[in-house]
Amino acid sequence: MKNKNGLFITIEGVEGVGKSTNIETIKQFLADQGIDFIVTREPGGTIWSEQIRDLLLKVNDDEDLTGLSELLLIFAARAQHLDRLIRPSLAAGKWVICDRFTDATYAYQGAGRGLDRSKIAELETLVQEELRPDLTIILDLDPLTGLQRAQNRAALDRFEREQLEFFEKVRQAYLDIASAEQERCIVVDASQDLEAVSSELLIILEEKLSLLQQDD
Ligand code: Z5A
């Protein structure tokens, strides 16, 4: 392929939509195609970034975390993740599959918490410079079903404690991003059974791969 850099693919959606489950399908597909890849997640992906993730998810009933503090922690984790894992992997020609990225910040901190989009955009430019995902798959599901699917977990984290209304805003923000950026984003109906969702994902990846090979 002409483009020696790897492809940067992000997977997004509300809580319990099936990101982790479907990433397993993506991993199998890439391995079968002989593509060199890594799978990572946000917040997280490196030692420091995972420590920031722990802070972000931890419930502390004694003191609220302000929206701005949350936003800065997310971008601190992202800066480290980009520098230590994502950029070097892409430069080495690996595909990077990332469970959530900056669209989650627009959805959760922007729409969910009500932070000003322009603050997020400033940090996005500062931390990412020109780097944006090549492809974003948004798994779309009504939040109530997502929360029910994810409900079997032990204790709820700081985000999972939010009310349904919060997740409805998050879902709508993802759909708005998808309609504003149709070249980059593809929405998959995640209310279908797992087999149907996975086969849609495989079609998307096959198309992406064949486009890259045509460019060769
Ligand atoms: N966050 C943020 O606020 N700002 C940011 O910028 C970023 C993140 C990057 C941690 O994310 C939190 O960080 C997140 C937003 C915030 N909090 N929330 N909410 P996370 O990605 O680690 O957390 P998560 O969304 O809670 O992931 P999850 O709950 O693990 O969901 P999932 O990976 O999408 O779901 P899953 O584990 O694959 O599936 C859940 C269950 O559903 C499981 O039993 C599956 O077998 C089942 N499943 C999956 N697909 C299907 C279908 N199609 N049918 C039936 N059952 C299914």
Side-chain angles (χ1 to χ4, degrees), residues 35-52:
I35 292 170
D36 202 1
F37 68 95
I38 62 154
V39 172
T40 186
R41 67 176 182 179
E42 289 224 340
T46 77
I47 294 170
W48 275 105
S49 309
E50 286 291 330
Q51 289 187 18
I52 297 172

Side-chain angles (χ1 to χ4, degrees), residues 11 16-17 20 30 43 48 58 61 73 76 81 124 129 135 137 139 155 169 183 205 208:
I11 318 292
V17 76
S20 317
L30 296 177
W48 275 105
K58 193 171 167 185
D61 290 325
L73 283 170
H81 192 202
E124 182 180 34
E129 299 172 342
L135 170 68
I137 297 169
L139 297 176
K169 288 184 198 159
E183 289 252 310
L205 291 176
K208 193 76 192 170

Side-chain angles (χ1 to χ4, degrees), residues 104-152:
T105 316
Y106 283 105
Y108 282 80
Q109 282 62 51
R113 301 269 190 245
L115 289 181
D116 193 340
R117 264 189 70 89
S118 66
K119 284 200 176 82
I120 302 174
E122 273 178 48
L123 289 166
E124 182 180 34
T125 305
L126 175 72
V127 168
Q128 293 168 223
E129 299 172 342
E130 299 299 310
L131 185 71
R132 299 291 182 276
D134 296 297
L135 170 68
T136 296
I137 297 169
I138 297 174
L139 297 176
D140 179 54
L141 182 67
D142 78 88
L144 185 58
T145 310
L147 289 167
Q148 283 164 350
R149 282 186 189 172
Q151 174 172 75
N152 295 333

